[in-house]
Amino acid sequence: MALDFYRLDNNEYLFKLEGKELADLAEIFNMFTQWTGLFIDPYGDIKLPLENQEILIRVIDEYITSTDLNKDKAKTSSILGFKGLLLYFTKNKVDLQLKED
């Protein structure tokens, strides 16, 4: 089970989230669904334009402020790593396409 990330404009492969990373991000993706009505999961495809990436970053920030990150350092690492990728792509104005693997 994996979720591949591509550039929306040219379909260039960027990175992938797999098993443990997806599990670590499940709460983040659920919160994103609550905020937007959009589903991010490894069983479907979704476009993630800059606006939605920015919402996802805000979701992560809210999660971080409301959670004790010392309880699971590996999960925290996954979340912060994913946030770093999103920050990079939003800074460089790259719309994303997420595809099931």
Side-chain angles (χ1 to χ4, degrees):
M1 173 171 66
L3 187 60
D4 294 330
F5 287 70
Y6 295 85
R7 287 183 65 113
L8 185 59
D9 60 352
N10 65 9
N11 207 35
E12 174 189 356
Y13 174 80
L14 299 170
F15 67 97
K16 139 186 329 201
L17 296 175
E18 295 186 276
K20 173 93 171 79
E21 294 168 312
L22 286 171
D24 290 344
L25 292 165
E27 291 177 78
I28 301 295
F29 293 158
N30 287 335
M31 287 176 66
F32 177 77
T33 298
Q34 292 171 0
W35 286 29
T36 65
L38 301 172
F39 293 92
I40 297 175
D41 67 25
Y43 304 108
D45 298 349
I46 184 173
K47 293 177 183 172
L48 205 60
L50 292 172
E51 300 82 23
N52 288 337
Q53 291 177 60
E54 291 166 352
I55 291 170
L56 193 48
I57 291 167
R58 288 196 308 269
V59 167
I60 292 169
D61 288 341
E62 183 170 307
Y63 178 84
I64 288 170
T65 59
S66 65
T67 305
D68 181 3
L69 300 178
N70 290 317
K71 287 184 179 179
D72 187 342
K73 295 197 188 253
K75 181 177 180 177
T76 298
S77 178
S78 294
I79 292 169
L80 294 178
F82 183 63
K83 180 184 175 186
L85 289 168
L86 290 175
L87 289 170
Y88 173 82
F89 292 121
T90 56
K91 179 182 176 195
N92 290 290
K93 300 191 183 329
V94 176
D95 292 322
L96 300 175
Q97 171 78 40
L98 288 61
K99 299 181 182 180
E100 66 176 312
D101 185 25

